[in-house]
Amino acid sequence: MPLVVAFTLGALALLQSRDFPLLWVYGVLLIASLLMRRWRSLLLAFTAGAVITAFEAGRVIDSRWPSSRFGEVITVEGVVASLPQAQRGEAGFDGEARDGVPSTTWRFRFDPVDKALPSKKIRVAWYRSSESLRGGECWRLRLVMRTPHGGINPGGFDYEGWLFRQGIGATATVRGGERCEDTGSHRLLRLRQAFSDRLKAWLPDHPALPMVAALTLGDTSGLDEDDWQAFRLTGTTHLVAISGFNVAIVAGVVFWLLRAFWRLVPALCLRVPAPRAALAASVLAAFLYALLAGFEPPVQRAALMLGLLALAGAWGGLGQPSRALALAWGLIVATDPLTLLAPGLWLSFAAVGAIFYVSAGRLGPVSGWKAAISVQLMLSLMLAPLTLYWFQGASLTGPLVNLAAVPIAAVLTPALIGALLLTALVPVIGLPLLTGVADALAFGQQALLWIADATPQAWAAASPEPAALLLALIGAVALFAPAGLPLRVFGVIALSALFLPPPRVVEEGFRATVLDVGQGLAVVVHTARHTLLYDAGPAYPGGFDAGRSVVVPYLLRSGARKLDRLIVSHGDLDHVGGVTAVKAALRVDQRSGSGSDQPCMAGERWTWDGVGFELLAGPEAGLSDNDGSCVLRVSYGGQALLLAGDIEAQGEARLLATAPDKLGAKVLVTPHHGSRTSSSAAFIDAIQPELTIHSAGWHHRFRHPAREVVARYAERGVKQIATGDSGAVAVDFDMNGRRTNMERRRAKRLWSTPADHVWHNHIPDRYETTR
């Protein structure tokens, strides 16, 4: 076990590095391992972990599409290498093709046949398609290629890290395509696609069809946002996304059934003991189920872990299950070190380890339903710190809901697998049984939706400090320590660290953070005891929601539990879209601006913790929605920040006429994302900013900020930062001056896409190539 820990630490050290270590670092480690005999094996294991991880990380990074070729259009032949996910009318598209034929948005992984391409795996989106895609098909596609890139925000989802973990070297959108001759590859995927087609034929338009596909094929594309929200609020996501629980249930049922059958035939028992035969069959069933689910990393881990535990059990080694778990962990990390970045790895092993830990008589002899309840409650408590770390919250109703949901799922999952097998073999008998199981799943799903609707505040949003989470994790372990160890009181005290108030973002002055929400705007202003949100970023039906993915995680990570004020500058979707998610997660004491009954009124002032706030403009008759944006000035210690929404030339002229002496600000968030219709020379001269921040999407089709706007600020010596390029931008204002931090620079990791500083978002002239 120490060698596994050392190997893991070496891999983690490499993954947390900002850059690849130089060769001499590995040389020093090797020399140290030779000189230090006592620590030689541990140092060698640490070095091996770092080297293997560096090799794998380098391979993925080398496969990235170059930034210099962003926007290049290529024609490439390849295979649809995943079950394609279909969605109609998604992400702001009307769902209608130009000829009026209903269209679909497809998302899938595409593996090019041409090995000369740098990117071996491409994540593709095909908007407004009238085609029907199937996994394993050969297609010749015209792709607009893009370098892997995502928003970088404190506490937010790391999309670049996710692509890196999946080995994706490029993203792309489809300009057009045609089928080509199949190569016969991806046979497992073809079988899964055929099975998916059979499911749709067996259960046409059944409300439980998405759940059936999720529990058998691992295909969750049919579940919508309401479904996932219900699973999150009730703490039952782990029952739907195929993982260790599902695999263990299927294996357990096979073990129980085969052992009972084996014992009925004495001749078989004489050849092979019933428990050993049942154990082998259960492992085989687990691997077959994993293959049906696509053998993705979560089910790979579960199947491998189960196989090693079964092997240990067959040889009488379950007296020390930690060895089997350590061996499984070591094999998984050694073969795929990038999986250390996946929350599922840590949660699944922690859950299994916790089950063994709390089931070893920690609280005295308990059996039957009492044991099941005890284990469920203990698991919820022991996994709470990890859940808070990875997901910035936990379900309050989850422990109670799971007391019923877990045993029901333990019955329905194997029943579903059995019904599907029977339907495939004897449709006359199996189909009614399958329909009955699907009806039960539909009823259970509706029950979860009802519980979620009845308890909308069941999600306890929180993001404690890492030190508090570590202390709470130690406390959870101590709380269930053997009865002979007097650690219960310490465990309770350590767990209470989760409820400690977070440290203040600032002690004096204020911090303004312009979040990286893509093509949109969201700015958080923290004073010593107050928090204001100015706009909440974009949100699209069925697509990206900046409120849920960026704003809320940042607010929780910064320690905010409520918003003292929310100002929505105007009604454009890229400013107001995330408001719903924000209001669902945090209490809002006061709201003004678009969508509220309190419009922005010029001249309104207030002071928080010595920081002055003043609204300079709001909506007015005769002005467009953009020009009627709420304009907010925040000041402290002779410095100021100006937030101007999407005002354009007319709105700027109004400010120059009504409040010329109040426009001065050291920092300006560019009006209308740097559009050419804003940032007039007179407006810039009146403000005299030293820093301007362009909140604009990276290489977005609007090409904000406009070249002439960038030039206008540059002529006046104004420093410029673009969020799409530099990530979230935090500016601290206090009596000592002003400090600026860019998140892409601060949180740089091996997989981070380098900033290219193309503030005008110029997309290179596209040229055609054929592969």
Side-chain angles (χ1 to χ4, degrees):
M1 185 180 294
L3 294 179
V4 173
V5 173
F7 185 94
T8 302
L9 290 175
L12 285 173
L14 192 285
L15 290 173
Q16 293 304 309
S17 301
R18 296 172 62 87
D19 294 294
F20 286 100
L22 298 176
L23 286 177
W24 66 263
V25 175
Y26 300 111
V28 169
L29 288 173
L30 288 174
I31 293 173
S33 65
L34 293 175
L35 297 178
M36 302 175 65
R37 178 176 299 180
R38 183 177 179 182
W39 306 100
R40 178 177 300 168
S41 58
L42 295 178
L43 283 172
L44 286 174
F46 182 92
T47 305
V51 169
I52 292 174
T53 306
F55 177 81
E56 181 63 17
R59 183 188 64 81
V60 175
I61 292 173
D62 288 343
S63 71
R64 279 185 169 176
W65 190 257
S67 297
S68 60
R69 297 176 66 183
F70 183 97
E72 179 180 339
V73 180
I74 67 172
T75 300
V76 58
E77 187 174 300
V79 177
V80 177
S82 66
L83 291 179
Q85 299 179 355
Q87 195 162 9
R88 294 173 58 86
E90 186 259 336
F93 293 100
D94 57 14
E96 297 292 328
R98 292 183 178 178
D99 58 1
V101 178
S103 65
T104 303
T105 292
W106 294 99
R107 284 189 169 84
F108 54 95
R109 198 187 90 196
F110 189 69
D111 291 356
V113 175
D114 185 0
K115 302 303 179 183
L117 277 177
S119 303
K120 306 301 186 289
K121 298 179 181 178
I122 305 173
R123 181 171 170 80
V124 173
W126 192 343
Y127 298 107
R128 296 180 176 178
S129 171
S130 58
E131 301 285 355
S132 177
L133 299 185
R134 303 179 78 252
E137 285 185 333
C138 179
W139 278 83
R140 186 176 176 85
L141 300 177
R142 289 181 63 228
L143 300 177
V144 182
M145 302 295 291
R146 295 178 171 85
T147 306
H149 189 277
I152 301 293
N153 297 277
F157 175 65
D158 185 359
Y159 182 60
E160 290 177 20
W162 182 83
L163 292 173
F164 172 73
R165 192 167 72 238
Q166 302 295 320
I168 304 296
T171 60
T173 55
V174 179
R175 285 282 190 86
E178 59 184 7
R179 286 181 173 84
C180 51
E181 184 177 353
D182 286 337
T183 61
S185 62
H186 296 74
R187 293 187 178 181
L188 175 60
L189 177 59
R190 291 170 182 270
L191 288 174
R192 295 178 65 230
Q193 179 67 68
F195 188 78
S196 176
D197 296 339
R198 297 287 291 275
L199 282 181
K200 294 173 184 176
W202 290 335
L203 298 170
D205 301 321
H206 197 287
L209 179 59
M211 281 287 287
V212 172
L215 292 172
T216 54
L217 293 167
D219 179 12
T220 59
S221 60
L223 300 170
D224 59 26
E225 183 57 36
D226 290 339
D227 295 323
W228 288 114
Q229 178 71 354
F231 299 147
R232 188 172 70 102
L233 288 175
T234 56
T236 53
T237 304
H238 65 103
L239 301 179
V240 180
I242 295 180
S243 58
F245 170 81
N246 311 79
V247 174
I249 288 299
V250 171
V253 169
V254 170
F255 176 88
W256 181 80
L257 290 176
L258 191 67
R259 186 180 63 174
F261 167 77
W262 205 267
R263 287 175 173 174
L264 296 177
V265 185
L268 293 177
C269 293
L270 291 174
R271 289 179 175 272
V272 181
R276 185 162 294 185
L279 201 59
S282 66
V283 172
L284 178 61
F287 273 90
L288 290 176
Y289 183 40
L291 288 173
L292 179 64
F295 214 60
E296 295 295 324
V299 290
Q300 286 181 27
R301 293 193 296 266
L304 178 60
M305 193 188 312
L306 183 68
L308 289 174
L309 288 173
L311 186 63
W315 290 95
L318 280 182
Q320 291 184 319
S322 58
R323 292 184 177 180
L325 286 178
L327 179 59
W329 176 280
L331 288 175
I332 290 170
V333 173
T335 54
D336 182 15
L338 303 189
T339 195
L340 286 168
L341 300 171
L345 174 73
W346 299 90
L347 289 171
S348 60
F349 272 88
V352 174
I355 289 173
F356 281 119
Y357 182 74
V358 303
S359 300
R362 305 288 175 187
L363 299 179
V366 183
S367 60
W369 62 270
K370 292 184 179 180
I373 293 176
S374 299
V375 169
Q376 177 58 48
L377 294 178
M378 291 175 192
L379 270 179
S380 299
L381 192 59
M382 295 188 74
L383 295 180
L386 292 177
T387 304
L388 290 170
Y389 176 75
W390 289 109
F391 305 112
Q392 292 86 47
S395 170
L396 297 177
T397 59
L400 294 177
V401 172
N402 276 283
L403 288 177
V406 167
I408 291 173
V411 172
L412 290 181
T413 299
L416 176 62
I417 300 296
L420 287 170
L421 289 174
L422 193 57
T423 303
L425 298 174
V426 189
V428 176
I429 301 175
L431 196 54
L433 179 60
L434 176 60
T435 304
V437 175
D439 291 340
L441 284 171
F443 178 80
Q445 186 176 1
Q446 285 301 313
L448 292 178
L449 289 168
W450 180 84
I451 294 172
D453 289 338
T455 57
Q457 300 302 320
W459 182 257
S463 183
E465 291 292 305
L469 291 172
L470 180 60
L471 185 59
L473 187 60
I474 295 172
V477 174
L479 193 62
F480 302 114
L485 298 177
L487 296 175
R488 299 282 193 273
V489 175
F490 168 76
V492 173
I493 295 174
L495 274 170
S496 66
L498 294 176
F499 303 99
L500 292 174
R504 293 178 181 175
V505 175
V506 293
E507 293 294 335
E508 63 147 326
F510 69 96
R511 171 178 294 175
T513 304
V514 184
L515 296 172
D516 183 6
V517 294
Q519 188 67 23
L521 180 64
V523 183
V524 178
V525 179
H526 287 288
T527 67
R529 296 178 180 84
H530 296 82
T531 305
L532 176 143
L533 174 63
Y534 181 92
D535 288 341
Y540 306 104
F544 174 69
D545 185 334
R548 182 180 66 249
S549 302
V550 177
V551 181
V552 169
Y554 170 74
L555 288 169
L556 295 176
R557 183 59 59 89
S558 64
R561 296 297 176 264
K562 69 181 180 68
L563 287 175
D564 296 282
R565 187 159 184 175
L566 167 62
I567 298 177
V568 181
S569 64
H570 63 299
D572 281 3
L573 188 63
D574 57 336
H575 295 251
V576 73
V579 167
T580 301
V582 171
K583 291 177 63 180
L586 294 98
R587 188 180 87 224
V588 178
D589 287 347
Q590 182 182 2
R591 177 177 174 179
S592 55
S594 178
S596 73
D597 55 5
Q598 183 181 344
C600 293
M601 301 294 293
E604 181 185 356
R605 302 182 184 88
W606 68 97
T607 301
W608 287 342
D609 310 314
V611 178
F613 294 80
E614 182 175 2
L615 287 169
L616 302 183
E620 185 179 294
L623 291 178
S624 66
D625 194 33
N626 281 354
D627 282 318
S629 294
C630 302
V631 178
L632 177 68
R633 186 175 186 267
V634 188
S635 59
Y636 179 81
Q639 300 189 87
L641 163 75
L642 188 65
L643 304 173
D646 272 359
I647 63 171
E648 299 175 301
Q650 188 176 0
E652 293 177 358
R654 178 179 60 151
L655 281 171
L656 291 171
T658 60
D661 56 335
K662 297 180 179 180
L663 290 179
K666 298 295 185 182
V667 179
L668 169 68
V669 177
T670 321
H672 202 187
H673 319 289
S675 166
R676 61 173 52 90
T677 59
S678 305
S679 295
S680 63
F683 187 69
I684 299 174
D685 291 338
I687 298 172
Q688 295 186 337
E690 295 177 0
L691 169 66
T692 185
I693 302 171
H694 307 295
S695 182
W698 189 72
H699 286 284
H700 192 269
R701 60 191 177 91
F702 289 160
R703 302 189 184 188
H704 289 159
R707 289 187 180 186
E708 52 265 49
V709 170
V710 172
R712 205 171 294 146
Y713 283 107
E715 289 168 0
R716 291 160 174 79
V718 181
K719 180 181 179 181
Q720 304 179 62
I721 303 174
T723 57
D725 187 65
S726 299
V729 181
V731 186
D732 289 333
F733 297 79
D734 57 32
M735 297 305 294
N736 296 320
R738 187 182 72 247
R739 295 174 303 281
T740 304
N741 287 294
M742 292 171 280
E743 189 65 13
R744 185 170 292 276
R745 179 185 298 170
R746 187 197 69 81
K748 183 179 184 299
R749 291 293 182 267
L750 296 175
W751 56 85
S752 300
T753 302
D756 59 12
H757 303 298
V758 185
W759 294 328
H760 50 70
N761 264 346
H762 170 58
I763 298 176
D765 294 333
R766 289 174 175 150
Y767 52 93
E768 298 281 343
T769 61
T770 301
R771 295 284 183 181

